[in-house]
Amino acid sequence: MKKIITYINSENETIESCVTSSREYENAGADELFIYSAAESEEERESLLALVKEVVRRVDIPVIIGTRVKRFEDIKKAFYTGAKSVVLQYRDIKGTDLIKQGCERFGRESIIIEVDMCPSTGTDFFENEEIIGSEYYGGLLFKHVEISEKLKKTIKEMKVPVMIRDSLIRNDIMSLISMDNVVGVATNYYAAKPLPTETPFTDGESISAGSGIMKVKRNLKAEGIDVNTFDSKLKFSDLKKNSDGMVPVIVQDYRNNEVLMLAYMNEEAFNKTIETGIMTYFSRSRKELWIKGGTSGHFQYVKELIADCDVDTLLAKVDQIGAACHTGNRSCFFNEMLKHEYDEKNPYAVLKNLYDVVIDRKINPKEGSYTNYLFDKGIDKILKKCGEEATEIVIAAKNPQKEEVKYEIADFLYHMTVLMVECKVDWEDIVEELSKR
């Protein structure tokens, strides 16, 4: 399956602006992100690493990092951001063992070599048979390409997959992505803003951030290119409709399963949702189609659509931008009618509640609080207690009764939570890291 990869040159960009652009690209339908910087100074490289680390934390699609390297330590730091792959410039690694070291440590499929195809800079790569035939990298990224029969032949004969980085000013995406052995095109053309009418495959329309890449993908698919689009296993005709010919849709936050709202779809709204990846409904009061967020900017980007057992109700898991409710509340369900008190047993909710209590103690100290005592004593005291509690788990595990183990693990998790707050690490960071393993 071929990919549309959006790229961001991080030089002179803030972390927050890059995170915003990355999330917009993700919601627009990008398959991966390529974030790079050609800066050589240590300070600028460190800024890139911090930026990519935050982007990886905030988006769900894979991130590729492109950075200048001088030593193996630079490659390690790049991978420690959480990036899926690292792009190394050929001019930095030729004549060194950096390719071999990187692949042996992180896997050859994770190392990509960037080659500038300008005649004045890229020719020496193709003269180096040892590099071309090397088993020590998993892919190539070509930039500044001029499409020709020679280029097509060169790419086809490469022993590893090829990505092409292109602004799409001179070339069109169909010519680039359809070449044999090209697995994806990295471009900044589909910026998260309205695009000009000459955009490829727009049928003369202006494209918004939410529909541009998905529309291009659907046109590529129509031309026989295998790309990732939203394709429902069920058609609207397969669903059981109510007397108005509509299907109710329950909407949840895809991250924490919070129920956000209830709305209705007719066939046109259903098809538009599948086409664009943005939740679209039919207003029963206004008798018209409406895109959630069309006026407020609080779009709902589809992550998953599920039909119930009777196929008469849909469950939509979405990335909710802003508030789901017109009142400004995150969820439409906030008018509590009755509640039977109960102990929360959802593991993630319990751990998050504990984290929230601990961080509140740090911000708002309470006299006599053991948590504040630990914070006042500092990191060494917190680490000492974590070590002691870990040892208590080991001792308890040697006994046949599980009650003692439960007790000691709970103690350890509390002290670890204090450590997490002290080190500015939250449960989202931990869960994200675990999900990669």
Side-chain angles (χ1 to χ4, degrees):
M1 186 172 290
K2 304 207 174 192
K3 300 173 182 177
I4 293 181
I5 304 162
T6 50
Y7 73 71
I8 299 173
N9 183 346
S10 70
E11 294 175 47
N12 302 317
E13 294 283 347
T14 65
I15 289 179
E16 201 53 43
S17 70
C18 276
V19 167
T20 299
S21 297
S22 297
R23 292 202 64 187
E24 287 174 342
Y25 278 138
E26 174 184 24
N27 287 325
D31 297 302
E32 295 181 1
L33 291 165
F34 174 38
I35 304 177
Y36 71 93
S37 170
E40 295 188 58
S41 74
E42 190 76 23
E43 181 181 357
E44 288 172 305
R45 288 205 305 271
E46 290 295 329
S47 295
L48 170 66
L49 297 175
L51 183 151
V52 171
K53 186 174 182 180
E54 185 62 17
V55 169
V56 168
R57 194 178 77 86
R58 302 271 290 276
V59 303
D60 295 313
I61 57 176
V63 177
I64 304 167
I65 181 173
T67 182
R68 303 297 301 275
V69 297
K70 295 180 180 179
R71 56 197 188 279
F72 179 59
E73 187 68 22
D74 296 329
I75 299 177
K76 287 203 302 186
K77 286 183 177 181
F79 275 109
Y80 291 163
T81 63
K84 165 202 168 187
S85 304
V86 173
V87 174
L88 308 176
Q89 294 189 25
Y90 173 64
R91 58 178 170 168
D92 288 339
I93 50 85
K94 61 181 179 179
T96 72
D97 286 330
L98 285 175
I99 301 177
K100 183 176 179 180
Q101 290 176 306
C103 290
E104 286 178 346
R105 174 65 177 81
F106 298 102
R108 65 181 295 247
E109 71 283 351
S110 302
I111 301 291
I112 299 169
I113 308 302
E114 178 182 290
V115 181
D116 192 331
M117 296 295 282
C118 284
S120 60
T121 55
T123 54
D124 62 333
F125 174 84
F126 298 99
E127 293 169 358
N128 190 334
E129 294 184 9
E130 182 181 352
I131 292 289
I132 290 179
S134 173
E135 60 189 81
Y136 291 117
Y137 57 89
L140 292 167
L141 185 148
F142 289 166
K143 65 179 182 179
H144 302 147
V145 301
E146 293 282 354
I147 297 178
S148 64
E149 290 306 313
K150 181 180 179 183
L151 175 71
K152 292 178 182 179
K153 184 173 183 293
T154 298
I155 291 176
K156 187 176 182 180
E157 291 175 351
M158 287 289 112
K159 297 179 180 179
V160 293
V162 174
M163 289 192 301
I164 296 178
R165 199 188 97 191
D166 197 284
S167 62
L168 301 187
I169 300 300
R170 293 173 301 173
N171 299 311
D172 67 88
I173 194 167
M174 172 63 84
S175 298
L176 294 170
I177 207 167
S178 62
M179 284 190 279
D180 290 338
N181 208 31
V182 170
V183 295
V185 173
T187 181
N188 66 347
Y189 192 77
Y190 306 109
K193 57 187 178 184
L195 300 176
T197 54
E198 64 268 20
T199 302
F201 300 127
T202 62
D203 300 328
E205 299 178 15
S206 176
I207 299 179
S208 70
S211 61
I213 295 175
M214 290 302 295
K215 187 173 183 65
V216 169
K217 283 184 170 184
R218 290 200 169 276
N219 282 278
L220 287 171
K221 198 157 197 173
E223 295 293 327
I225 303 298
D226 186 19
V227 290
N228 182 28
T229 57
F230 285 120
D231 291 307
S232 176
K233 294 178 181 178
L234 295 177
K235 300 187 292 293
F236 191 78
S237 59
D238 297 323
L239 305 175
K240 295 178 184 177
K241 275 72 73 175
N242 63 16
S243 58
D244 295 324
M246 290 186 281
V247 175
V249 185
I250 301 165
V251 186
Q252 276 186 315
D253 185 296
Y254 83 109
R255 289 185 183 273
N256 59 19
N257 289 330
E258 179 185 15
V259 178
L260 299 173
M261 58 179 278
L262 172 70
Y264 289 83
M265 281 183 180
N266 63 2
E267 185 168 11
E268 185 181 5
F270 176 84
N271 291 335
K272 201 71 177 176
T273 297
I274 300 300
E275 177 188 340
T276 63
I278 301 174
M279 293 302 294
T280 306
Y281 307 103
F282 187 81
S283 170
R284 294 174 298 168
S285 58
R286 299 192 305 273
K287 305 297 182 186
E288 65 182 12
L289 216 63
W290 63 285
I291 298 173
K292 176 62 181 174
T295 55
S296 66
H298 295 167
F299 294 101
Q300 293 173 343
Y301 294 100
V302 183
K303 294 296 184 179
E304 192 173 4
L305 277 180
I306 307 167
D308 74 342
C309 55
D310 295 319
V311 293
D312 61 1
T313 304
L314 298 181
L315 174 65
K317 296 193 175 187
V318 305
D319 182 6
Q320 173 70 59
I321 305 301
C325 184
H326 71 282
T327 63
N329 282 281
R330 173 72 176 173
S331 167
C332 292
F333 298 93
F334 58 87
N335 291 307
E336 186 175 302
M337 298 172 64
L338 61 86
K339 183 178 181 180
H340 182 79
E341 294 299 326
Y342 61 91
D343 291 332
E344 179 64 71
K345 294 295 177 69
N346 180 297
Y348 184 78
V350 171
L351 292 172
K352 187 178 184 305
N353 289 343
L354 172 61
Y355 187 93
D356 290 343
V357 170
V358 172
I359 202 167
D360 181 68
R361 285 287 186 271
K362 187 173 179 64
I363 297 170
N364 304 298
K366 184 177 179 181
E367 187 176 353
S369 165
Y370 175 66
T371 302
N372 286 129
Y373 163 77
L374 291 174
F375 284 132
D376 290 342
K377 290 296 183 179
I379 186 70
D380 289 341
K381 180 65 174 179
I382 297 170
L383 292 173
K384 183 174 183 290
K385 290 300 298 180
C386 287
E388 290 173 358
E389 297 301 335
T391 303
E392 292 293 336
I393 293 174
V394 174
I395 295 170
K398 298 291 289 182
N399 297 324
Q401 300 299 322
K402 70 175 185 178
E403 296 303 320
E404 191 175 351
V405 177
K406 288 195 304 183
Y407 183 88
E408 297 301 344
I409 288 176
D411 265 0
F412 176 75
L413 285 173
Y414 159 74
H415 287 91
M416 186 181 70
T417 302
V418 176
L419 178 63
M420 288 166 59
V421 171
E422 181 71 11
C423 296
K424 297 181 174 60
V425 174
D426 61 26
W427 280 109
E428 284 193 13
D429 296 322
I430 304 301
V431 171
E432 179 191 349
E433 181 62 30
L434 284 172
S435 70
K436 298 173 188 170
R437 299 192 178 189

